[in-house]
Amino acid sequence: MRTSLVLLSARLLDPLTGEFLPQTALAVSGGRISALGDDRRIRALADPSTTVIDLRGAVVTPGLVDGHLHPVSGAELTHGLDLSGCADLDAVREALAGEVRTLAPGAWLHAWGLDPNVFGERPVEAAALAPVLDDVPALLLLFDAHSMLASPRALELAGVDGPRTFAQAAEVVCDDAGRPTGLLLEDAACELVERAAPRPTHVERRARLAAALRDMAAAGLTGGHAMDANGDSLALYAELDAAGELPVRLRVSPWCQPGADAAALRALIEQQGAGGALWRTEGVKLFMDGTVDNGTAWLERPDCHGESTHSFWPDPAAYTHIVGELHRAGVPTATHAIGDAAVRHVLDSVERAMATGERRVRHRVEHIETVPDDTLRRFARLGVIASMQPTHCCDYTRADHTDNWSRRLGEERASRAWRCRDLWDSGARVVLGSDWPIAPFPPLGVMAGARHRRPSRDLSLPPHGPEQALTALEALQGMTVNAAYAAGEEHEAGRLAVGHRADLTVLADDPLTTASTDLPDLPVLLTVLDGRPTHRDASL
């Protein structure tokens, strides 16, 4: 098999040891690393058709993989006004006013990234943004993507004029008179109003997704664990893959919602393994709760507003049954569980499923924002993977616990925020990700956040829970070897070894010795997927 790519004069970083390999070059054939050696030996493997790149001392790591992201929905949700940089209500009103001036009459305003902390002690409601949105149909997605604010005109167009009942945890928040405040909690409520807004065409959605994936590759990502397969997501991946335009390798886990019957479960099981050259369906995504910030997490004790007391599944036992059925079929699960009660119930369900037989399945818990000590130790004992997003802690909470998340939880639980260090030390396999579009996807920023735990907008501010920081090597492992293990791919991914996939990230310098606060700005010089460059800096 011919050599398609040769990288010379490289520093090859081993994420297992944190040391550089003795070799300085590698060759790629058939999408795999086919040889490691010195420059002279590897150069000799090239023929006239081989792409040869002199890295001039740049650092090569196994391809960085985001352990939790939403490519299709993210590409759609981030199309519109970005409110993530607004620190107070005045800034939000100013940004909205500027956007309103650009709208055609009757057009909808879409915005995303709204931080509930901008409301301070005020309720999160559309009235706080009057009169900017008067007569404007607007949907403002809060940063957690589990809630949104709808303007009065948007509610009117959608015919939402009072409370609604849902089959899962969701709410149209209303005032004492039964009038909607504009706050919609969870997907079922949000969809009531979203259906009234104009929808992008398939061509538009495909273009937005392709652009987002190209940006991910340019940031150094070679892979991602995609936690949704809604609507035509799989068709979009298939189209891009067939056209040779899929620059990120994707492992896609479709959702299983409350109310799923035997036929729906059978379809999810039969869907496993479907895919293409660079994407495949593997695993099932479930939700055990919502979010702390909007009062829909499942906590063992209510939050300061008396909320966050219920599971996303009206009958938690039904969730346990589903996990058992998927486990017996050999299907790994990934469950969104933020509150302590939610995490505990997921672990209980996995333990019960494991008791039915010897089959080993790599189940995961996603987010794990606050858990007590006794819960930590169960991850390693049960072999459950801890999927963490440290930048959520960095950018949406504060060290002094004056943020909305911390105030809702109270001092005790807020001090147990994103326990990456404790989970790692307890023996759990920790995987890192962004949860994009909830937080930015650049992987160097994710690794930096795991190390410094400071707000990315102002790194001079104190860290939230610095004792929970990971080391530079652990952060790298969280997006390489551990991500490969979580996907059951440790035999072919996550390391620089002959026979492993040629999914590679090339950086201007060593990410392990670069200061955590400087890491997000470390240049990504080259990204290689399946032996093919998907991003190449002009300096190479």
Side-chain angles (χ1 to χ4, degrees):
M1 187 177 296
R2 78 173 190 87
T3 299
S4 60
L5 175 69
V6 160
L7 301 182
L8 302 172
S9 302
R11 290 184 286 166
L12 306 178
L13 183 58
D14 180 4
L16 290 177
T17 66
E19 302 294 330
F20 289 111
L21 298 176
Q23 299 90 349
T24 60
L26 64 80
V28 174
S29 300
R32 302 272 171 166
I33 298 174
S34 54
L36 297 169
D38 59 32
D39 283 20
R40 182 176 179 180
R41 176 183 169 235
I42 299 302
R43 187 188 291 274
L45 300 175
D47 61 35
S49 67
T50 302
T51 299
V52 179
I53 303 176
D54 185 346
L55 295 181
R56 299 192 293 276
V59 175
V60 181
T61 74
L64 300 177
V65 175
D66 190 311
H68 185 123
L69 78 172
H70 304 271
V72 174
S73 60
E76 183 170 348
L77 294 175
T78 56
H79 181 75
L81 177 64
D82 181 2
L83 296 174
S84 62
C86 297
D88 54 42
L89 273 177
D90 286 341
V92 173
R93 293 189 189 105
E94 183 179 354
L96 291 173
E99 187 74 3
V100 168
R101 287 192 290 270
T102 71
L103 295 177
W108 283 66
L109 186 154
H110 292 270
W112 59 281
L114 179 61
D115 187 343
N117 286 302
V118 303
F119 293 86
E121 299 297 329
R122 295 187 57 164
V124 180
E125 58 185 12
L129 302 175
V132 178
L133 296 180
D134 286 355
D135 301 320
V136 177
L139 290 176
L140 316 181
L141 187 72
L142 273 74
F143 78 76
D144 63 6
H146 282 250
S147 49
M148 65 172 47
L149 271 180
S151 69
R153 179 57 175 157
L155 292 170
E156 179 185 359
L157 291 173
V160 177
D161 56 7
R164 299 290 179 92
T165 300
F166 301 96
Q168 61 196 46
E171 182 182 0
V172 175
V173 177
C174 296
D175 62 20
D176 293 340
R179 296 184 296 264
T181 67
L183 182 59
L184 307 170
L185 304 180
E186 301 299 334
D187 286 347
C190 296
E191 287 169 1
L192 290 176
V193 185
E194 288 176 312
R195 287 197 293 263
R199 301 288 296 166
T201 66
H202 181 84
V203 172
E204 289 170 333
R205 295 179 70 237
R206 184 188 189 278
R208 291 175 190 172
L209 174 61
L213 293 172
R214 287 193 299 270
D215 288 344
M216 290 179 188
L221 281 175
T222 64
H225 298 173
M227 293 296 171
D228 57 29
N230 304 324
D232 61 352
S233 295
L234 301 185
L236 289 168
Y237 295 143
E239 285 182 32
L240 293 176
D241 193 28
E245 298 175 19
L246 192 58
V248 177
R249 190 185 302 273
L250 296 172
R251 176 184 186 266
V252 186
S253 297
W255 287 4
C256 179
Q257 297 274 39
D261 58 15
L265 195 58
R266 186 165 54 251
L268 285 169
I269 294 170
E270 292 173 353
Q271 191 179 5
Q272 299 297 303
L278 294 171
W279 71 278
R280 75 174 188 278
T281 304
E282 183 171 328
V284 169
K285 169 76 181 297
L286 305 101
F287 291 82
M288 202 67 247
D289 65 354
T291 69
V292 170
D293 278 289
N294 69 21
T296 57
W298 187 18
L299 300 173
E300 294 179 339
R301 301 190 315 277
D303 66 18
C304 71
H305 299 300
E307 298 176 338
S308 287
T309 59
H310 301 290
S311 162
F312 183 74
W313 288 64
D315 179 9
Y319 165 88
T320 301
H321 170 74
I322 293 287
V323 169
E325 292 296 305
L326 292 170
H327 180 88
R328 281 185 284 277
V331 178
T333 62
T335 302
H336 169 120
I338 279 177
D340 44 18
V343 176
R344 191 182 302 278
H345 189 81
V346 175
L347 296 175
D348 288 345
S349 300
V350 170
E351 186 164 21
R352 182 170 178 177
M354 291 173 59
T356 64
E358 294 300 316
R359 172 167 250 163
R360 300 295 295 180
V361 181
R362 292 177 186 173
H363 300 289
R364 305 164 48 138
V365 181
E366 309 297 317
H367 308 311
I368 319 167
E369 292 186 4
T370 178
V371 289
D373 291 344
D374 67 320
T375 304
L376 288 173
R377 296 185 288 272
R378 298 182 67 194
F379 279 85
R381 179 165 63 83
L382 297 173
V384 173
I385 291 151
S387 175
M388 308 288 287
Q389 295 78 45
T391 46
H392 295 194
C393 183
C394 295
D395 290 333
Y396 303 127
T397 70
R398 300 171 188 153
D400 63 4
H401 296 172
T402 58
D403 58 279
N404 181 58
W405 184 91
S406 300
R407 291 199 314 269
R408 276 184 173 269
L409 286 178
E411 196 63 27
E412 177 191 352
R413 289 180 294 196
S415 68
R416 304 194 301 238
W418 285 267
R419 300 180 70 175
C420 298
R421 168 87 277 135
D422 290 341
L423 279 161
W424 196 291
D425 288 348
S426 70
R429 185 81 65 154
V430 177
V431 175
L432 300 180
S434 66
D435 197 16
W436 187 76
I438 311 307
F441 56 70
L444 296 181
V446 174
M447 292 192 294
R451 293 167 55 184
H452 63 59
R453 295 175 69 95
R454 297 173 184 271
S456 59
R457 298 186 194 97
D458 186 352
L459 293 169
S460 68
L461 293 175
H464 188 162
E467 73 281 357
Q468 295 300 331
L470 298 181
T471 68
L473 179 57
E474 290 165 345
L476 177 62
Q477 291 172 343
M479 303 197 82
T480 53
V481 290
N482 287 4
Y485 179 88
E489 297 173 345
E490 65 271 25
H491 62 289
E492 62 176 352
R495 294 179 56 206
L496 300 178
V498 173
H500 276 49
R501 289 174 180 160
D503 294 354
L504 311 167
T505 302
V506 180
L507 306 171
D509 206 347
D510 184 355
L512 304 186
T513 58
T514 301
S516 61
T517 51
D518 295 333
L519 186 61
D521 297 321
L522 183 64
V524 177
L525 301 181
L526 182 70
T527 310
V528 176
L529 175 66
D530 204 41
R532 173 177 58 91
T534 54
H535 162 73
R536 184 171 178 176
D537 188 82
S539 65
L540 291 181

